[in-house]
Amino acid sequence: MSRIALVTLVVDDYDEAIRFYTEALGFRLVEDEPRPDSARWVVVRPGAGQDGTGLLLARAKGEEQRARVGDQTGGRVGFFLHTGDFAGDHARMAAAGVTFLEEPRHEPYGSVAVFQDLYGNRWDLLQPAATD
């Protein structure tokens, strides 16, 4: 095995999720294909390269999946977004309306701030500390 290609994120609505991930977080929409059952295959990915892990935005079907929207990890941080420009990305995301749940902090492992996506899933915005 060489890498994890996609991680599924259950969402309420494809278009609002695409807007959030592309406009507020700066991801790229790399696939948006209709499926025969009125579903869509929607993939967004951070960064300019094609090799990173992408998010498969999957619209919830049924009550069990709808109950998971926004709480896919039981309230803990479940997603980690690395950056090379913590201050710049933090400011850009805050200006775009992203809700940060704490002030930025500087830890031995890097600069970090927890934010939530439009459904309430918790993410770390993280610039890892430089290694020697």
Side-chain angles (χ1 to χ4, degrees):
M1 306 303 152
S2 62
R3 68 183 176 98
I4 295 174
L6 295 173
V7 173
T8 298
L9 188 67
V10 182
V11 301
D12 276 333
D13 179 83
Y14 292 117
D15 294 324
E16 74 179 1
I18 290 169
R19 271 191 303 281
F20 177 81
Y21 285 98
T22 60
E23 294 174 13
L25 298 190
F27 285 29
R28 291 174 300 108
L29 177 64
V30 294
E31 291 183 72
D32 186 356
E33 298 295 326
R35 294 294 194 215
D37 62 353
S38 80
R40 288 159 55 185
W41 182 265
V42 177
V43 176
V44 294
R45 184 173 280 129
Q50 293 295 326
D51 294 334
T53 302
L55 289 179
L56 173 64
L57 304 178
R59 187 180 62 207
K61 294 180 185 177
E63 284 306 310
E64 187 173 358
Q65 289 183 16
R66 277 192 284 283
R68 301 294 190 272
V69 172
D71 190 27
Q72 294 185 106
T73 59
R76 68 170 293 139
V77 171
F79 306 95
F80 300 82
L81 185 58
H82 281 198
T83 178
D85 179 11
F86 181 85
D89 284 334
H90 182 272
R92 180 188 55 74
M93 290 166 60
V98 173
T99 300
F100 281 88
L101 303 176
E102 63 181 26
E103 292 298 315
R105 63 184 198 279
H106 305 286
E107 303 289 347
Y109 58 84
S111 298
V112 63
V114 177
F115 69 94
Q116 63 186 20
D117 67 17
L118 75 162
Y119 298 113
N121 294 300
R122 292 176 181 231
W123 292 67
D124 269 358
L125 176 65
L126 175 65
Q127 182 170 0
T131 58
D132 295 333

